[in-house]
Amino acid sequence: MLIPARMSEAEERRWVSVMLDKLAAQESKRMPGDTELAERAERLSAQYFGGRARPTSVRWVTNQNTRWGSCTPAEGSIRLSHRLQGMPEYVVDYVLVHELAHLLVPGHGPRFWRLLEAYPRTERARGYLEGVVAAARLPHSPADRGE
Ligand SMILES: [Zn+2]
């Protein structure tokens, strides 16, 4: 890090903390696995939508606790909750396919679900995610025991 000459110690500390905040902000935008995730989205788009869904960015986020994935069609950006990490691949693929489909069809109308029929494990993945949500609501879930 280059520190401008002739800074007082207090200024220097302030400047360093500002720079560290900036770095942390950049860091939080790119997480490990983002590149792989973007490549995976590209493959899935090619496989199920003939490459028509073209996101501008696909990344993991840690601030999404009520949704598995989200997208901003105007920007073409897709975000996946880090809570999906460690779940079976077909589940992560489903969430990616779901968000990719939103780049083509907003909302969850019949046209949207027809698009999703292209992905053979849609029903199974939705069942898995429903199970995860239900399990989290059960009393004496592993989380309660601090595991
Ligand atoms: Zn949706």
Side-chain angles (χ1 to χ4, degrees):
M1 210 181 270
L2 279 175
I3 295 173
R6 281 197 287 169
M7 262 188 173
S8 76
E9 215 176 301
E11 278 172 339
E12 190 178 305
R13 266 201 303 274
R14 213 193 122 263
W15 190 82
V16 167
S17 88
V18 167
M19 291 311 288
L20 287 177
D21 283 350
K22 273 193 189 168
L23 278 176
Q26 283 169 12
E27 204 61 11
S28 72
K29 283 183 194 151
R30 303 286 320 159
M31 287 193 13
D34 279 354
T35 310
E36 291 80 353
L37 195 65
E39 287 166 359
R40 201 159 160 184
E42 200 178 310
R43 275 201 307 277
L44 291 166
S45 175
Q47 193 172 351
Y48 298 111
F49 304 130
R52 282 182 302 132
R54 289 195 193 89
T56 54
S57 90
V58 185
R59 58 191 181 86
W60 294 105
V61 291
T62 53
N63 61 355
Q64 202 160 266
N65 289 314
T66 55
R67 289 189 296 179
W68 300 114
S70 65
C71 83
T72 310
E75 292 172 11
S77 57
I78 289 175
R79 294 160 300 276
L80 255 62
S81 169
H82 73 296
R83 291 180 310 146
L84 289 163
Q85 290 172 359
M87 288 190 193
E89 279 196 10
Y90 76 89
V91 175
V92 179
D93 281 353
Y94 161 72
V95 178
L96 272 175
V97 167
H98 183 117
E99 300 308 330
L100 284 167
H102 276 314
L103 296 181
L104 304 173
V105 179
H108 297 111
R111 272 186 65 215
F112 177 82
W113 292 113
R114 264 202 302 282
L115 261 184
L116 273 247
E117 279 168 16
Y119 181 66
R121 286 189 275 189
T122 289
E123 278 313 309
R124 189 171 162 195
R126 292 183 74 197
Y128 182 99
L129 292 171
E130 277 168 20
V132 169
V133 171
R137 289 202 192 106
L138 290 175
H140 312 301
S141 70
D144 290 340
R145 296 197 299 265
E147 282 169 12

